[in-house]
Amino acid sequence: MAQPDSKKIFFENLSGAGKAIAVLTSGGDAQGMNGAVRAVVRMGLYVGAKVYFIHEGYQGMVDGGDNIKEATWESVSSMLQLGGTVIGSARCKEFRTHEGRLKAAHNLVQHGITNLCVIGGDGSLTGANLFKEEWSGLLNELVEQGSIEADAVQKYSALHIVGMVGSIDNDFCGTDMTIGTDSALHRIIEVVDAIMTTAQSHQRTFVLEVMGRHCGYLALVSGLACGADWVLIPEMPPEDGWEEKMCQKLSANRAGMKRLNIIIVAEGAIDRNNKSITTEYVKNLVVKCLGFDTRVTILGHVQRGGTPSAFDRILASRMGVEAVLALLETTANTPACVVSLCGNTSVRVPLMECVQMTQEVQKAMDQKRFEEAVKLRGRMYDNLLLCILCPQSNFNVAVLNVGAPAAGMNAAVRSAVRVGISEGHKMFAVSDGFEGFYKGQIKEVKWGDVGGWTGQGGSLLGTKRTLPAKHVEKIAEQMRKHNINALLIIGGFEAFLSLLELLTARGKYDEFCVPMVMVPATVSNNVPGSDLSIGADTALNAITTTCDRIKQSASGTKRRVFIIETMGGYCGYLATVGGLASGADAAYIYEEPFDIKELQANVEHLTEKMKTSIQRGLVLRNENCNENYTTDFIYQLYSEEGRGVFDCRKNVLGHMQQGGAPSPFDRNFGTKISAKAMQWVSKKLVETFRQGRVFANAEDSCCLLGMRRRTLVFQPVVQLKDETDFVHRIPKEQWWLKLRPLMKILAKYKTSYDVSDSGQLEHVVHNRPKDSDASVAM
């Protein structure tokens, strides 16, 4: 929410008139870079600045000429869905020299450019900072050489730098996620899922090498997402004697009827003596010690290729707009900064602080200070490397799914079961939600029972929308019968309602006076108390992929507009964020009422764009946005009003948004948030165990665990009632509504843009709260 003294209308308060902004991509490429370039160009043009492409990175800046070109709105059309970087990237030795930077400065001054947006890794950003520090001296040299006029030194006195990190390795300190990481995980998981089918057929062991010379993030998260047997990363070398332990683990898993083994190795994996651990070494070890049929797969540059995921498109778009904001607000004394992501919030951090901390990680690894290296990486490793606690007590904990199925539910159940068993609990699985609960469909579940669940979509436990109130007596009886001491409910809005009903039932049935916690899982992302829900990212990727294909189907034909209906009930999250990720021209939602005048204005706006540039248009509509302005109505309106300029097609995406294998994000998020929930359950069980029984009737013993901006927070469900619109099953306030002006700006609408929530400069060592959950953002 905007503060009373907020800078309310961005366009009025932060004009870019008279300024020139240049954008370049440097170093290695990463999926999503094009989305960042597009956002910088369009936001820059929106505020009245001139925007330039610098082709081929720093090499193009040094060479000048046609490598520096003015960008137009149309020049970034149809690039959001493309992988790599369309403006090119190159490593430039000449820019590392003083003479090379002198040439680059001359080329920038010739175009009047004093604002640089650099998208690259730590090397590219370090070079940009050095360029900024030398800028005044370089201009003076150019004056002495007669290359520029003397007044240019005053006119172009300061160079402003803002960076965005584009790197699939996620190896840059100061941000939870770098552009390209999520897409790389998609490529890895696609390969792993495919390999697992053939491995199961032949009872094989596969050793996979993923990228990450200095950072094990890809290996760690992909291992978590596919349920790998063993993971080797550079920051946490295995203890001496790891070879024997690994072989024992593989053998035990195979003895437990598991038909395959997966070992993931980061390319920079090392042992405690800094000696490289190669995939070939691991393969030979398994063959020699166990005799297993073993294969090696090196994924290589396939991880950098392909279409960017929905997450990377949204991240890049948000960062690109934030970069332009930062450039417009900077002064001569402002240090070069990096646009960063903390939880679900954009922040700005001093560039060199991030670079220095990143370099400290490598220095710690070189000096065998591995524990320090892990701490320097940030709390993402603390969250990923789940602590296995010693058994405390033998409590019985039940897990169930409630509501509609959502991809990632199975990963959450698997995580809960295994963390619970590790902490000494007996874990019980309830089939078919509360309907199965009152019918007694409850059974103990062991470690091996949830093997292979992470990558499977839907709900393997079964899930129903049945609420407990009508069957509360029978459910209490089952709680008594199985001596259930705690409940973990994974689901959507029905799960939230269920917790409220069970909380009310405590007054009559002591069986419900136990710790109860809910983990949000629904494609609609409409659960109060949480910015994100398990399953929403998979649905967004389904929408984005489908929209890409639909738009591509019109390639080479006459101008065409597509009307797409998304799911979400009354919640417009999928339509809005899916529209941002797919480059939609409009998205109609319930939370932002619209009338026939706005529909007409949208048609006219799209008609003008069609006449001048674009060939394809995309309009998204949330399924319940308006009972009268249906998908058919909007389709007919656009068809009639666009006659002679474009034709129309409509598509209802339906339940395909709920189906499919979970995305890496949802596997990762489901695993982490469920593990955190189980750790809370264990703590509450100990706190509420008195005189031989568990008795918990305080408000804070019935909670929802949700992502709130930067942190994962346990919130008593009774306190969330005032935040909830129960009639329409949505929260009263939703963070993603602030993305709607951004979507409109990128679609060439003139609109108000509130910057009260824009990123503020923070120090990298202070911008991570205690419970910050790295990489969980949108």
Side-chain angles (χ1 to χ4, degrees):
M1 295 294 291
Q3 300 301 314
D5 60 345
S6 71
K7 302 159 285 184
K8 192 64 178 175
I9 308 300
F10 162 71
F11 186 66
E12 293 178 1
N13 291 332
L14 290 175
S15 173
K19 295 194 176 184
I21 299 171
V23 58
L24 70 147
T25 53
S26 179
D29 64 310
Q31 308 98 317
M33 279 184 165
N34 290 323
V37 171
R38 171 180 177 267
V40 169
V41 169
R42 292 195 167 176
M43 194 63 174
L45 294 174
Y46 173 82
V47 298
K50 278 190 174 183
V51 186
Y52 292 87
F53 293 133
I54 298 179
H55 291 271
E56 310 306 334
Y58 286 118
Q59 190 66 56
M61 193 189 296
V62 171
D63 294 341
D66 290 340
N67 288 305
I68 303 177
K69 291 182 179 178
E70 188 171 352
T72 65
W73 193 276
E74 291 74 22
S75 60
V76 292
S77 295
S78 302
M79 66 187 292
L80 183 61
Q81 72 272 21
L82 300 178
T85 165
V86 297
I87 61 174
S89 181
R91 305 192 187 275
C92 179
K93 291 183 180 179
E94 195 173 356
F95 188 75
R96 297 178 185 175
T97 68
H98 182 79
E99 293 74 15
R101 293 191 290 275
L102 192 65
K103 288 181 184 178
H106 184 232
N107 290 327
L108 293 187
V109 169
Q110 283 185 318
H111 291 86
I113 297 168
T114 56
N115 297 279
L116 272 184
C117 183
V118 180
I119 309 168
D122 61 337
S124 301
L125 298 177
T126 302
N129 189 69
L130 176 61
F131 193 37
K132 172 184 169 66
E133 291 175 348
E134 293 182 346
W135 181 256
S136 295
L138 293 172
L139 293 193
N140 287 328
E141 279 189 57
L142 290 171
V143 171
E144 290 173 7
Q145 294 176 2
S147 300
I148 61 174
E149 298 296 328
D151 63 351
V153 176
Q154 183 65 31
K155 188 176 180 181
Y156 306 116
S157 59
L159 179 67
H160 307 300
I161 302 287
V162 172
M164 287 182 277
V165 188
S167 167
I168 69 167
D169 292 342
N170 204 29
D171 57 353
F172 193 81
C173 293
T175 185
D176 288 348
M177 284 288 272
T178 58
I179 296 169
T181 301
D182 187 72
S183 300
L185 285 170
H186 273 256
R187 302 294 93 78
I188 294 169
I189 295 305
E190 286 164 7
V191 172
V192 172
D193 285 352
I195 280 176
M196 288 176 77
T197 57
T198 183
Q200 285 175 327
S201 300
H202 297 276
Q203 296 194 59
R204 281 180 176 149
T205 296
F206 269 88
V207 184
L208 276 75
E209 180 183 287
V210 301
M211 283 186 168
R213 281 178 297 172
H214 307 295
C215 180
Y217 185 85
L218 289 179
L220 198 55
V221 176
S222 58
L224 195 66
C226 72
D229 298 271
W230 204 264
V231 177
L232 295 160
I233 63 173
E235 296 93 337
M236 288 193 67
E239 299 289 344
D240 292 341
W242 65 271
E243 294 94 339
E244 184 180 350
K245 291 179 182 177
M246 184 187 75
C247 289
Q248 287 174 353
K249 174 78 182 298
L250 298 178
S251 182
N253 286 349
R254 193 64 67 88
M257 304 304 292
K258 186 175 180 181
R259 292 181 60 85
L260 78 157
N261 300 112
I262 299 288
I263 302 167
I264 296 183
V265 183
E267 61 179 326
I270 53 174
D271 63 18
R272 289 272 160 178
N273 298 310
N274 278 340
K275 182 182 177 182
S276 176
I277 299 175
T278 66
T279 50
E280 214 40 54
Y281 176 78
V282 174
K283 173 196 170 183
N284 293 336
L285 178 69
V286 174
V287 171
K288 179 181 177 182
C289 296
L290 301 175
F292 290 172
D293 186 2
T294 306
R295 299 286 189 275
V296 170
T297 299
I298 298 175
L299 271 63
H301 282 72
V302 70
Q303 296 160 86
R304 276 191 183 166
T307 300
S309 66
F311 182 100
D312 274 327
R313 298 185 197 195
I314 297 159
L315 176 66
S317 297
R318 290 179 68 183
M319 283 188 167
V321 168
E322 189 66 39
V324 174
L325 283 174
L327 285 171
L328 295 183
E329 293 176 348
T330 192
T331 66
N333 298 321
T334 304
C337 73
V338 174
V339 177
S340 173
L341 193 72
C342 180
N344 196 30
T345 306
S346 295
V347 297
R348 302 171 195 168
V349 288
L351 188 155
M352 290 314 296
E353 284 188 16
C354 298
V355 170
Q356 287 162 8
M357 186 170 284
T358 303
Q359 292 171 347
E360 281 296 318
V361 175
Q362 189 57 48
K363 190 184 296 183
M365 290 164 59
D366 292 340
Q367 295 174 0
K368 302 182 183 179
R369 294 180 284 117
F370 299 113
E371 289 184 7
E372 185 178 341
V374 171
K375 289 179 181 178
L376 287 169
R377 278 284 181 225
R379 286 185 171 84
M380 65 178 179
Y381 273 61
D382 293 336
N383 287 316
L384 291 170
L385 298 166
L386 302 173
C387 295
I388 303 300
L389 305 178
C390 295
Q392 299 168 355
S393 301
N394 191 15
F395 292 112
N396 293 350
V397 181
V399 182
L400 66 157
N401 295 155
V402 177
M409 275 183 164
N410 297 322
V413 171
R414 171 185 177 271
S415 175
V417 168
R418 292 193 169 180
V419 172
I421 291 172
S422 297
E423 295 186 353
H425 307 314
K426 272 189 178 181
M427 299 301 297
F428 288 82
V430 182
S431 300
D432 297 333
F434 283 106
E435 186 173 314
F437 210 138
Y438 82 81
K439 291 178 179 178
Q441 296 170 206
I442 306 167
K443 66 176 182 179
E444 186 179 355
V445 58
K446 302 289 188 180
W447 185 281
D449 295 334
V450 292
W453 280 34
T454 308
Q456 297 196 48
S459 168
L460 292 175
L461 284 184
T463 182
K464 296 286 179 68
R465 297 180 184 271
T466 306
L467 298 178
K470 292 181 180 179
H471 311 285
V472 69
E473 185 177 347
K474 291 182 179 179
I475 294 171
E477 182 183 330
Q478 293 296 333
M479 295 274 288
R480 234 180 1 259
K481 179 180 176 181
H482 293 90
N483 190 27
I484 301 298
N485 306 122
L487 282 180
L488 171 58
I489 303 173
I490 302 165
F493 201 86
E494 290 86 357
F496 173 64
L497 295 176
S498 298
L499 267 190
L500 289 173
E501 291 183 356
L502 294 179
L503 186 65
T504 302
R506 280 179 171 178
K508 190 174 181 180
Y509 299 97
D510 284 353
E511 286 79 8
F512 300 117
C513 293
V514 297
M516 296 185 286
V517 63
M518 172 192 164
V519 169
T522 167
V523 301
S524 300
N525 198 34
N526 64 331
V527 177
S530 187
D531 291 351
L532 299 171
S533 297
I534 299 166
D537 184 72
T538 303
L540 280 174
N541 277 287
I543 292 168
T544 304
T545 301
T546 305
C547 286
D548 286 351
R549 291 176 179 175
I550 286 171
K551 288 197 294 184
Q552 189 181 49
S553 71
S555 180
T557 67
K558 60 183 179 180
R559 294 182 176 93
R560 182 165 288 168
V561 174
F562 296 94
I563 313 296
I564 311 293
E565 181 181 297
T566 67
M567 293 179 76
Y570 286 95
C571 181
Y573 176 82
L574 291 179
T576 295
V577 184
L580 182 60
S582 55
D585 296 278
Y588 300 114
I589 63 171
Y590 168 78
E591 292 91 342
E592 194 173 278
F594 58 96
D595 56 22
I596 192 66
K597 291 180 180 178
E598 183 173 343
L599 286 168
Q600 184 67 34
N602 292 156
V603 174
E604 291 172 0
H605 178 81
L606 193 51
T607 301
E608 287 303 310
K609 288 172 67 177
M610 284 284 187
K611 287 178 179 177
T612 57
S613 56
I614 67 168
Q615 298 294 313
R616 290 157 288 175
L618 185 66
V619 175
L620 271 60
R621 178 191 177 274
N622 168 246
E623 59 184 343
N624 288 341
C625 66
N626 189 292
E627 62 180 342
N628 295 313
Y629 301 135
T630 63
T631 301
D632 284 335
F633 178 90
I634 294 174
Y635 162 69
Q636 290 166 6
L637 176 68
Y638 272 76
S639 296
E640 181 61 30
E641 296 300 317
R643 192 183 300 275
V645 179
F646 59 81
D647 66 355
C648 242
R649 296 289 186 273
K650 66 176 178 178
N651 288 268
V652 177
L653 301 185
H655 283 76
M656 64 166 290
Q657 296 158 86
Q658 278 186 330
S663 68
F665 182 97
D666 279 329
R667 301 184 195 198
N668 186 22
F669 186 35
T671 299
K672 290 190 292 185
I673 195 172
S674 194
K676 196 172 186 72
M678 276 306 306
Q679 290 167 352
W680 177 89
V681 165
S682 296
K683 180 183 176 183
K684 286 294 179 184
L685 284 169
V686 173
E687 289 176 358
T688 57
F689 186 73
R690 299 288 184 274
Q691 299 178 343
R693 61 168 292 195
V694 173
F695 188 82
N697 64 348
E699 285 185 358
D700 67 355
S701 65
C702 182
C703 286
L704 180 147
L705 173 57
M707 165 60 71
R708 281 289 181 98
R709 290 176 63 83
R710 301 190 183 196
T711 59
L712 284 170
V713 183
F714 289 95
Q715 304 146 97
V717 290
V718 69
Q719 294 179 12
L720 296 174
K721 291 171 72 173
D722 291 339
E723 300 180 22
T724 307
D725 177 350
F726 286 95
V727 175
H728 299 100
R729 299 161 60 89
I730 56 175
K732 291 179 180 177
E733 293 186 9
Q734 305 190 79
W735 70 273
W736 50 266
L737 287 171
K738 68 185 179 184
L739 299 180
R740 289 188 62 76
L742 171 58
M743 183 190 70
K744 291 177 181 178
I745 288 168
L746 298 179
K748 212 174 183 179
Y749 286 89
K750 286 295 181 184
T751 185
S752 300
Y753 189 65
D754 183 357
V755 296
S756 58
D757 198 34
S758 65
Q760 301 301 314
L761 193 64
E762 300 182 4
H763 292 289
V764 65
V765 292
H766 297 309
N767 71 342
R768 296 296 180 270
K770 185 176 180 181
D771 291 321
S772 177
D773 190 41
S775 86
V776 181
M778 182 61 62

